[in-house]
Amino acid sequence: AATVVRDGWVYLYGTANPGTEFVFGFSLRVARMRPDDMLDPGKWSYWSGRAWVTDSTKATELIPAQGGVSQTLSVFEREGTWYALSKRDGFLGTDLTIWTAPAPTGPFGVGRTLAKLPSDTVTGELRYMPLAHPDLLPQQGTMVVSYSRNNTDLRAVEKNPLLYRPQFLRVDLP
């Protein structure tokens, strides 16, 4: 779902939904490998909560699925703080959220709401897939975020393609 290259390592963040009733978010886990080993999963290691291990089943949740991230998210590091940006509780959530951690392995905090991105079941407007753009139009202490907009009524989108487009906003970093 997200990749960060830092200090000679590739950190690969993956999401999973437990398929539990009324849990709409995804959990977040991390693997790491050297760039030359990206195509060889046998050389990957996974964060167990205490150490890097080769057994993927030992990967610990950095963020739990309950109140968790969307399937798509951004992870990045700035001045020693690691950020995970996503829409809490996935597609059905309302909060553009940022979780912070001191390291790529966490521990990630509860998550702070930066903005509201609700979908609207009455109008059919969908808001989803926020992505961080920390290097786009940089301003100290802030960041540009994009998110996708669409509509459940495909005929409405055919009549007005502007219903299906990215939107941008600037948010404060915690």
Side-chain angles (χ1 to χ4, degrees):
T3 305
V4 178
V5 178
R6 182 74 69 229
D7 300 326
W9 292 101
V10 176
Y11 294 94
L12 186 61
Y13 293 86
T15 58
N17 182 278
T20 305
E21 190 173 8
F22 303 116
V23 175
F24 305 111
F26 290 73
S27 63
L28 184 67
R29 292 176 171 82
V30 65
R32 79 173 182 179
M33 70 288 306
R34 297 291 183 188
D36 290 343
D37 296 331
M38 285 266 321
L39 299 179
D40 186 356
K43 293 184 178 179
W44 295 12
S45 57
Y46 305 84
W47 183 248
S48 73
R50 293 187 191 177
W52 292 102
V53 298
T54 57
D55 183 353
S56 65
T57 65
K58 303 281 191 224
T60 191
E61 290 183 343
L62 305 177
I63 297 173
Q66 181 72 42
V69 300
S70 295
Q71 190 172 7
T72 303
L73 73 150
S74 296
V75 178
F76 60 97
E77 182 268 339
R78 286 291 175 266
E79 299 178 9
T81 298
W82 287 75
Y83 299 92
L85 178 124
S86 190
K87 189 174 179 185
R88 187 188 314 271
D89 285 326
F91 195 80
L92 296 177
T94 60
D95 297 344
L96 173 65
T97 304
I98 196 157
W99 291 262
T100 60
T105 55
F108 281 88
V110 173
R112 179 178 150 215
T113 299
L114 300 177
K116 295 290 188 182
L117 297 179
S119 293
D120 187 331
T121 56
V122 175
T123 65
E125 182 179 6
L126 304 173
R127 296 177 182 167
Y128 58 99
M129 204 171 76
L131 295 172
H133 305 282
D135 297 320
L136 179 64
L137 304 170
Q139 288 182 9
Q140 185 68 28
T142 71
M143 173 182 60
V144 172
V145 173
S146 64
Y147 65 92
S148 296
R149 284 187 47 209
N150 204 345
N151 197 286
T152 57
D153 183 350
L154 295 179
R155 284 179 284 198
V157 175
E158 286 175 352
K159 290 180 186 174
N160 181 4
L162 294 178
L163 295 175
Y164 179 48
R165 64 180 175 173
Q167 294 286 121
F168 295 87
L169 63 135
R170 182 173 295 280
V171 296
D172 292 327
L173 287 174

